[in-house]
């Protein structure tokens, strides 16, 4: 089967053996997968960096290298590091397709079921993937594979909104209108909130406004904090959700400045975190972290072993977040069609990733398609 790998700053399509079903897993033939413009492009960029730049950006690893040099010598350590950096790593974490086979202990799905799948450890850009039970969910009738393949991004956005605990009528600012910011804005609007979005790209602001955002702010239009104050009658936003990806510490400071007293700031994106106490202490602002898809993420017992959290005690797990996102797509409360910039067949995955490197275009959503799947499904 064909699968996408990243190595030395490039995406490669290779022929590899297909996985086999294991206990507690589902084998899925993929129809569409979603490229994460943020996470995957960051990984692609990191894989292209020389050793000295990696050392500067990841100083926590320098001590490990020093210990290796002390114990094994410089030459052996260098060869070990370079071999790891040149390794071809699988990529992808959001996909949709048809169940081919189920492993022992799986009764929830059967061959022929339409499913969406998540997980950086399994939902690769590949013709066939093996996914644990809690990272697999049924696609509602009437929802396309292409829409369902965005399930991971939708769950991340939904979990960020849940962490903000918005109530009907509140004003929430979304900092960064990439794909996560776009989905966050729509989910907030569906929740009855007034949404203000900010971005450096006016086309992204325009897209969000057409999809229900109430106001959009661009740096060239003046001070963002002053505009938020004006739009909230001088009180400030009830909450700010950060979906931007930028190493600057100024973003988190701006988020605090935009909040009213006792407001909330939720971090979904990846920004600088050198916090200034004065920004949040006097207002007693709550600062919250949103951990990816939701409760269950990074818990091996949940993701790999299929142990669920009881609903009365943990209402929204990552699986239940994904289910709810697909329901919102089906009911047209969230639209991803207007956010889709392009779809490439799997064989052209290298071109798809190359297009995302361009500084002239700033796509929101790019999918990979797997031609021929529907032709092989019995009617």
């Amino acid at each position: 089967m064909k699968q996408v790998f990243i190595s030395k700053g490039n995406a490669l399509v290779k022929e590899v053996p297909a996985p086999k079903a294991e206990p507690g897993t589902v084998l899925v033939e993929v129809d569409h997968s979603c490229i994460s413009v943020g996470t995957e492009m960051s990984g692609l960029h990191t894989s292209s960096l020389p050793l000295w730049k990696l050392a500067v950006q990841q100083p926590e690893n320098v001590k490990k290298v020093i210990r290796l040099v002390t114990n094994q010598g410089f030459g052996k350590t260098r060869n070990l590091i370079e071999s790891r950096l040149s390794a071809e790593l699988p990529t992808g974490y959001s996909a949709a397709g048809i169940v081919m086979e189920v492993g022992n202990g799986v009764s929830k799905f059967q061959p022929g079921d339409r499913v969406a799948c998540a997980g950086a450890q399994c939902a690769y850009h590949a013709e066939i993937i093996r996914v644990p039970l809690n990272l697999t969910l049924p696609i509602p009738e009437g929802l396309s594979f292409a829409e369902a393949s965005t399930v991971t991004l939708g769950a991340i956005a939904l979990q960020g909104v849940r962490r903000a605990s918005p109530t009907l009528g509140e004003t929430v600012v979304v900092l960064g209108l990439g794909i996560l910011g776009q989905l966050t804005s729509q989910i907030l609007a569906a929740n009855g909130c007034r949404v203000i979005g900010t971005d450096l790209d006016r086309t992204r602001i325009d897209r969000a406004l057409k999809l229900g955002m109430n106001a959009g702010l661009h740096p060239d239009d003046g001070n963002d904090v002053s505009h938020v104050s004006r739009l909230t009658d001088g009180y400030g936003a009830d909450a700010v959700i950060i979906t931007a990806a930028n190493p600057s510490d100024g973003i988190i400071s701006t988020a605090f400045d935009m909040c009213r007293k006792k407001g909330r700031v939720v971090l979904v994106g990846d920004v600088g975190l050198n916090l200034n106490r004065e920004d949040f202490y006097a207002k007693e602002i709550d600062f919250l972290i949103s951990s990816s898809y939701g409760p269950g993420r990074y818990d091996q017992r949940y993701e790999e072993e299929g142990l669920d959290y009881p609903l009365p005690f943990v209402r929204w797990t990552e699986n239940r977040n994904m289910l709810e996102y697909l329901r919102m797509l089906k009911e047209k409360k969230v639209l991803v069609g207007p956010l889709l910039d392009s779809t490439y067949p799997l064989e052209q995955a290298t071109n798809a990733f190359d297009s995302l490197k361009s500084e002239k275009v700033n796509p929101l959503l790019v999918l990979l398609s797997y031609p021929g799947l529907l032709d092989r499904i019995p009617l």
Side-chain angles (χ1 to χ4, degrees):
M1 71 168 191
K2 294 182 175 66
Q3 182 172 345
V4 181
F5 295 83
I6 58 172
S7 177
K8 296 183 177 180
N10 294 300
L12 313 168
V13 180
K14 298 190 64 178
E15 285 282 350
V16 296
K20 296 182 179 180
E22 294 181 350
T25 68
V26 177
L27 208 61
V28 177
E29 188 169 6
V30 177
D31 183 83
H32 275 78
S33 61
C34 175
I35 298 177
S36 171
V37 176
T39 302
E40 291 186 73
M41 292 309 295
S42 175
L44 198 71
H45 173 70
T46 300
S47 72
S48 69
L49 295 177
L51 286 176
W52 70 268
K53 281 192 176 182
L54 281 173
V56 171
Q57 293 186 8
Q58 302 176 7
E60 68 277 5
N61 290 328
V62 173
K63 292 182 180 179
K64 297 179 183 178
V65 173
I66 292 174
R67 286 197 297 269
L68 278 173
V69 171
T70 301
N71 295 330
Q72 302 187 27
F74 178 79
K76 191 171 183 179
T77 299
R78 181 183 179 86
N79 291 338
L80 176 63
I81 294 173
E82 288 185 343
S83 66
R84 290 183 180 179
L85 292 177
S86 62
E88 296 171 346
L89 302 175
T91 187
Y93 67 4
S94 192
I98 295 284
V99 173
M100 298 174 59
E101 184 181 347
V102 299
N104 291 336
V106 175
S107 58
K108 185 177 180 181
F109 299 104
Q110 59 184 4
D113 286 348
R114 295 172 359 112
V115 294
C117 308
Q121 70 272 45
C122 56
Y124 303 130
H125 301 303
E127 290 181 310
I128 299 172
I129 56 178
R130 180 179 60 226
V131 189
L133 189 60
N134 280 346
L135 295 176
T136 308
L137 53 153
I139 298 176
E141 185 176 351
L143 192 65
S144 70
F145 286 117
E147 292 170 299
S149 71
T150 65
V151 64
T152 304
L153 297 174
I156 293 171
L158 182 55
Q159 177 63 13
V161 172
R162 293 200 190 285
R163 292 289 283 161
S165 301
T167 59
L168 184 67
E170 284 194 320
T171 298
V172 183
V173 177
V174 180
L175 292 184
L177 293 172
I179 184 60
L180 286 180
Q182 298 283 339
L183 295 174
T184 298
S185 174
Q186 291 189 55
I187 293 169
L188 286 166
N191 193 64
C193 296
R194 288 186 288 273
V195 186
I196 302 170
T198 74
D199 201 274
L200 301 176
D201 187 335
R202 288 192 183 275
T203 61
R204 292 184 170 187
I205 294 174
D206 291 340
R207 279 189 175 187
L209 288 171
K210 291 176 181 177
L211 292 171
M213 189 174 73
N214 299 93
L217 306 178
H218 187 277
D220 292 345
D221 297 334
N223 184 275
D224 288 350
V225 176
S226 297
H227 281 304
V228 170
S229 178
R230 173 180 57 82
L231 291 167
T232 57
D233 297 325
Y235 290 105
D238 297 289
V240 178
I241 300 178
I242 302 171
T243 53
N246 191 300
S248 170
D249 299 316
I251 294 175
I252 193 76
S253 181
T254 297
F256 288 134
D257 288 342
M258 287 177 169
C259 274
R260 63 168 171 83
K261 287 186 176 181
K262 294 186 178 294
R264 295 95 67 195
V265 171
V266 176
L267 179 61
V268 176
D270 185 6
V271 300
L273 283 176
N274 288 318
L275 303 182
N276 181 359
R277 185 173 184 269
E278 295 179 359
D279 289 338
F280 55 88
Y281 176 76
K283 292 193 204 176
E284 202 174 21
I285 293 172
D286 291 332
F287 178 48
L288 305 163
I289 303 296
S290 179
S291 181
S292 199
Y293 329 157
R297 187 69 179 120
Y298 309 115
D299 182 349
Q300 182 176 346
R301 292 171 300 175
Y302 179 92
E303 291 193 335
E304 304 298 330
E305 299 174 20
L307 298 178
D308 199 3
Y309 303 149
L311 186 146
F313 298 96
V314 184
R315 178 61 183 91
W316 296 108
T317 60
E318 58 181 328
N319 185 280
R320 292 192 273 271
N321 272 341
M322 290 188 285
L323 281 169
E324 180 61 19
Y325 170 70
L326 294 185
R327 186 186 69 81
M328 296 184 80
L329 286 179
K330 179 184 178 181
E331 296 177 357
K332 307 300 181 185
K333 292 180 179 178
V334 173
L335 302 175
V336 294
L339 303 175
L340 178 60
D341 289 291
S342 53
T343 301
Y344 291 80
L346 177 64
E347 291 79 2
Q348 296 179 22
T350 300
N351 295 336
F353 279 84
D354 285 344
S355 73
L356 297 174
K357 298 178 185 178
S358 172
E359 296 180 357
K360 296 181 180 179
V361 295
N362 205 9
L364 286 171
L365 183 60
V366 176
L367 304 182
L368 295 179
S369 64
Y370 299 71
L373 171 63
L374 295 181
D375 295 336
R376 296 192 294 274
I377 299 174
L379 297 178

